[in-house]
Amino acid sequence: MVLLAFLPYASVRCFAQPDENQVTIVQISDTHIADKHAPHAAENLKHAVEMINSRRPDAVVLSGDIGENPQAWEEARSILKKLKPPLYYVPGNHDVHSSDVDRYRDVFGKDYYTFNVKSVTFVVIDSLLLGNYDVYGAKTPMPLPPQTEDESERMLTWLSGLRDREISGRVVIGVQHIPVFHDGRFPDPKPYWVIDDPYRSKELKALHELGVKHMLVGHWHNGRVFQKEGITWHIAPSTAWLPWGGELGFAVHTISASGDVHTEFVELPGARP
Ligand SMILES: [Zn+2]
């Protein structure tokens, strides 16, 4: 009892908050500003920004399909600049097509990069350099144009090289727009919905070498979590429209110091697609 009375305040506070190294990251996805399917997209995103600010996460990531054209990107950015935590962008297949990645880079900067939040390194991957998603109805995967194939090789070399650089000893979590697998319940088998070979095998090899156990992805507009190939895939819902039913909203990921990820899906109350 006597000893306890002499403990400095800082030690007591430290003991009372064992989760100081826990990271909370909000994932918004498929905001689709100016998409004809989503007339309320801007209004829903404003609502999401207010809700996210009140939760005070460490960071926010937007996992692609930001808007349909550069003017829509500007509208998204003007809404998103009201976010208090730092925001990280990821390209989606409505932002980048098979041969126009430069247009995205001119506005958003790098399309693949890393960022750190406390002891977690997030690896943002441009999944549009891992397949051609220009034709929704394609029955077999389409090739990338040669110039984009070169970009793809460069990104995969960068991804493999990360293990020799700054990430050793850190928790590494990947973020990209397009999931690598179907989950067995997804209703549409088209190649459009996933990363297809040969890119799938190349990416998986690199992710395993980096020790990635969790991937934050979008594209399906439907909140889901499933495991495949030793990785847990966390699919965020859309804030904009619902091709497969479900709820509009965003995902809140709580990451422990040891790298476990707990995902909560938060609905946007009263939001319309
Ligand atoms: Zn989308």
Side-chain angles (χ1 to χ4, degrees):
M1 284 304 284
V2 174
L3 187 64
L4 189 65
F6 283 98
L7 274 175
Y9 173 70
S11 311
V12 173
R13 198 179 55 151
C14 186
F15 183 70
Q17 294 186 329
D19 293 328
E20 238 169 50
N21 288 318
Q22 179 175 283
V23 168
T24 304
I25 184 161
V26 166
Q27 183 188 5
I28 40 182
S29 199
D30 297 272
T31 50
H32 283 282
I33 301 299
D35 191 304
K36 63 180 188 303
H37 300 94
H40 304 287
E43 186 188 323
N44 293 350
L45 184 57
K46 285 177 193 160
H47 191 177
V49 165
E50 285 168 20
M51 288 174 71
I52 292 165
N53 282 340
S54 72
R55 285 177 166 252
R56 301 172 175 272
D58 295 303
V60 180
V61 65
L62 200 178
S63 55
D65 283 0
I66 304 157
E68 304 306 305
N69 51 57
Q71 196 185 336
W73 289 344
E74 282 318 307
E75 186 176 359
R77 279 152 63 96
S78 81
I79 296 168
L80 290 162
K81 74 178 183 223
K82 298 198 171 68
L83 274 175
K84 289 181 183 142
L87 168 65
Y88 299 92
Y89 288 97
V90 182
N93 59 299
H94 284 241
D95 308 307
V96 171
H97 309 88
S98 66
S99 53
D100 63 2
V101 68
D102 287 340
R103 186 179 76 157
Y104 178 90
R105 289 173 178 168
D106 285 346
V107 173
F108 293 100
K110 289 182 177 174
D111 53 323
Y112 55 90
Y113 58 97
T114 61
F115 66 92
N116 293 331
V117 183
K118 298 179 189 170
S119 62
V120 182
T121 294
F122 292 89
V123 178
V124 171
I125 296 166
D126 179 354
S127 51
L128 293 317
L129 300 179
L130 298 172
N132 181 336
Y133 296 88
D134 289 352
V135 179
Y136 172 73
K139 293 212 165 51
T140 53
M142 297 193 306
L144 285 169
Q147 195 186 332
T148 311
E149 188 59 44
D150 293 345
E151 291 278 1
S152 179
E153 286 295 321
R154 267 198 290 281
M155 182 178 75
L156 286 165
T157 303
W158 163 84
L159 188 60
S160 304
L162 285 177
R163 71 175 184 272
D164 302 324
R165 298 213 291 273
E166 70 272 29
I167 63 157
S168 97
R170 297 176 60 81
V171 172
V172 183
I173 292 187
V175 193
Q176 69 185 41
H177 183 63
I178 298 179
V180 174
F181 297 102
H182 284 95
D183 73 345
R185 291 191 300 124
F186 193 73
D188 186 343
K190 278 201 276 294
Y192 176 86
W193 295 108
V194 290
I195 303 294
D196 300 286
D197 268 325
Y199 308 101
R200 171 191 286 172
S201 307
K202 291 179 183 177
E203 182 184 5
L204 267 181
K205 181 169 180 284
L207 294 177
H208 286 149
E209 285 170 357
L210 291 173
V212 172
K213 297 278 187 286
H214 296 272
M215 289 287 294
L216 314 182
V217 295
H219 193 49
W220 292 0
H221 295 218
N222 199 285
R224 291 162 189 241
V225 178
F226 68 97
Q227 287 186 313
K228 188 131 179 169
E229 294 283 335
I231 294 175
T232 305
W233 306 85
H234 304 255
I235 321 250
S238 166
T239 56
W241 59 291
L242 299 168
W244 309 110
E247 308 294 342
L248 299 171
F250 54 87
V252 182
H253 308 289
T254 307
I255 304 161
S256 72
S258 59
D260 296 325
V261 180
H262 172 263
T263 293
E264 176 195 359
F265 296 122
V266 178
E267 278 177 41
L268 293 174
R272 287 172 293 170

